[in-house]
Amino acid sequence: MELAGGDARRWFRRLRRDGGDGDGGRGDAVRLLCFHHAGGSAAAFRQWPQLLPSYVEPVAVQLPGRMERFAEPAYVDMGSLVDDLVDAVQPFLQEPYAFYGASMGGRVSWALAHALRERGMPLPRMLFISHSPAPGVMREIRGWDGPDEGLVRYMRELGGTPPEVFTHPAVLKGILRTLRADLTVLSNHAVRPAVPLDLPIRAFAGADDPMAAPELMSPWAEETTAEFRLDVVGGGHFPDSSVLRLMTGEIAGEIGALLR
């Protein structure tokens, strides 16, 4: 399937097994649309083609305000973000697909699935969520409306940011701008539809994750009338290479089962 229109090309990166990106892809593969964490980008999924079998094609979402979309303003409102994603994702809806969302990406992919259902559009076959508290969990998101120093502490505590970023003020300033916008999206999003989704949800929680501990992720079970499973994996908020291999292996197994 070729991407149609400029919107899809701006929003989605089809990842190649050589580590690049492009429009090529297997026509018979299930597309796995991958939504990145707050402050992150599509680059977070660059290695996924090497970790997934050929029947799963990872397609990374690139939100505005980062990488080649850095000049575009980042969203600060979930409703506007999801409305625009509905328009951009339409080229992918004619063939089987699934969602994977990491941290903030979990909430965005869940909200997008609800928006697609409300509009009577084809739904993902499955929703994979990692390191993201359930929508019904009341929790404070630190730093989004405070000084930059607070956001820097937040980044250091969570890990996942290369140490050299903190020594380059210009780079750090750009990341903080985008991170603050992403956290604003999460902080101001209190909408929880009355009717749960009717699609399987597979979730992964880090055993030592200070932001999305297993007890904060288990209520994802309330967000679907279909099957739910939560796996507790090692590590904190950002999975290391061994956890990532485990997660992608489980995702591939689930998608393989859907195809049988």
Side-chain angles (χ1 to χ4, degrees), residues 168-179:
H168 289 79
V171 174
L172 182 59
K173 181 179 179 180
I175 293 175
L176 290 175
R177 183 194 72 169
T178 303
L179 176 60

Side-chain angles (χ1 to χ4, degrees), residues 1 14 26-33 55-59 89-99 122-126 255-256 258-260:
M1 180 190 72
R14 298 182 95 160
R26 282 187 45 161
D28 58 346
V30 173
R31 274 80 187 189
L32 180 66
L33 273 62
Y55 59 80
V56 182
E57 181 192 353
V59 179
V89 79
Q90 292 190 40
F92 291 97
L93 304 185
Q94 305 309 313
E95 300 182 42
Y97 72 98
F99 284 163
L123 294 178
R125 299 286 297 274
M126 196 164 189
I255 291 177
L258 292 174
L259 296 174
R260 289 197 290 269

Side-chain angles (χ1 to χ4, degrees), residues 113 123-127 196-201 223-227:
L123 294 178
R125 299 286 297 274
M126 196 164 189
L127 180 59
L197 295 168
D198 186 23
L199 53 87
I201 296 179
E223 304 303 326
T224 181
T225 58
E227 182 181 358

Side-chain angles (χ1 to χ4, degrees), residues 48 58 95 98 101 108 121 131 137 151 157 178 200 239-240:
W48 281 49
E95 300 182 42
V108 173
M121 302 169 78
H131 304 81
V137 173
L151 276 183
E157 290 171 7
T178 303
D240 62 19

Side-chain angles (χ1 to χ4, degrees), residues 48-87:
W48 281 49
Q50 289 77 42
L51 298 171
L52 291 167
S54 61
Y55 59 80
V56 182
E57 181 192 353
V59 179
V61 177
Q62 186 79 292
L63 299 185
R66 62 213 81 211
M67 303 296 286
E68 69 277 3
R69 303 189 70 184
F70 184 77
E72 301 176 51
Y75 286 86
V76 294
D77 172 73
M78 182 72 82
S80 299
L81 169 58
V82 168
D83 285 345
D84 287 348
L85 274 169
V86 167
D87 293 335

